[in-house]
């Protein structure tokens, strides 16, 4: 239940017990952590690990976890928009400046990390299932996870576990990468 709620202490323990392993979360469900708190937790882990943190964030797809926590499982486009806004806030916070933001889902006023991570910014691992999320991950992440698209009622699309679906995502990543190389 809610693996993303126990990820931070496990990462802290791994940071204390190792000196060379990269540490990563696969993945925090955005709806279970406020972006300011997640950005601070990641910065603390990065500092404790001497710069070995990789922060994974996803938009959420496991409706049963939402139900168990009493959190509304909103439609995919709403979860995706909230996730996109959170990722951009986390990235801005990790770049070191105080952030003031008045968005659709989050409002911050002169918020800062209060801890300086070793890596600036901390690498982001973002997943992409559908075209929108794949494009966003390709544009804003350092590491991309290709995952099946989530279903409106929760869960992952079983048809998206195919080789052809994987190849479609890779082609989309190539298109986005080509656009970035061309300045787009």
């Amino acid at each position: 239940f809610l693996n993303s709620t126990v990820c931070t202490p496990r990462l802290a323990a791994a940071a204390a017990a190792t000196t060379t392993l990269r540490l990563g979360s696969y993945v925090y469900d955005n709806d279970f952590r406020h972006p300011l708190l997640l950005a601070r937790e990641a910065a603390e882990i990065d500092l404790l690990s001497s710069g070995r943190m990789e922060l994974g964030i996803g938009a959420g797809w496991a409706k049963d976890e939402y139900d168990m926590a009493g959190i509304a499982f909103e439609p995919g486009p709403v979860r995706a928009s909230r996730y996109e806004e959170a990722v951009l806030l986390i990235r801005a916070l990790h770049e070191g400046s105080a952030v003031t933001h008045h968005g659709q889902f989050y409002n911050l006023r002169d918020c800062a990390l209060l801890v300086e991570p070793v890596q600036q910014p901390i690498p982001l691992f973002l997943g992409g299932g559908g075209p929108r999320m794949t494009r966003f991950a390709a544009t804003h992440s350092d590491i991309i996870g290709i995952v099946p698209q989530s279903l409106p009622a929760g869960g992952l699309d079983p048809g998206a576990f195919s080789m052809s679906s994987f190849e479609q995502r890779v082609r989309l990543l190539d298109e986005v990468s080509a656009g970035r190389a061309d300045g787009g």
Side-chain angles (χ1 to χ4, degrees):
F1 168 66
L2 300 178
N3 282 330
S4 63
T5 63
V6 296
C7 192
T8 302
R10 290 175 181 171
L11 288 168
T18 67
T19 58
T20 58
L21 292 178
R22 301 283 306 159
L23 306 170
S25 56
Y26 184 91
V27 293
Y28 283 95
D29 182 324
N30 179 63
D31 289 332
F32 296 121
R33 283 272 197 299
H34 189 283
L36 174 63
L37 300 178
L38 183 55
R40 285 180 176 169
E41 288 177 6
E44 288 284 354
I45 299 292
D46 194 61
L47 185 61
L48 288 171
S49 68
S50 300
R52 296 180 285 132
M53 177 67 181
E54 296 171 358
L55 178 59
I57 312 167
W61 57 267
K63 184 180 182 307
D64 58 334
E65 289 187 351
Y66 283 76
D67 291 344
M68 285 187 270
I71 296 172
F73 186 74
E74 295 182 289
V78 173
R79 292 191 322 275
S81 293
R82 186 171 35 248
Y83 160 81
E84 290 168 346
E85 187 174 330
V87 166
L88 296 176
L89 285 172
I90 290 168
R91 183 65 94 187
L93 287 160
H94 283 170
E95 289 174 348
S97 58
V99 173
T100 295
H101 172 82
H102 302 289
Q104 182 178 359
F105 302 100
Y106 302 105
N107 290 294
L108 303 176
R109 189 183 64 214
D110 288 330
C111 287
L113 285 180
L114 305 179
V115 61
E116 188 171 334
V118 174
Q119 302 174 96
Q120 292 187 5
I122 293 171
L124 289 181
F125 172 95
L126 304 177
R132 175 183 177 180
M133 300 307 289
T134 301
R135 281 187 189 92
F136 184 81
T139 304
H140 297 284
S141 72
D142 302 292
I143 307 158
I144 296 173
I146 298 175
V147 296
Q149 186 167 358
S150 64
L151 297 169
L156 299 174
D157 180 0
F161 284 94
S162 68
M163 183 56 81
S164 64
S165 179
F166 176 79
E167 290 169 346
Q168 285 177 321
R169 297 293 168 261
V170 171
R171 281 192 298 276
L172 183 55
L173 291 171
D174 286 343
E175 289 172 19
V176 173
S177 293
R180 287 174 78 178
D182 295 338

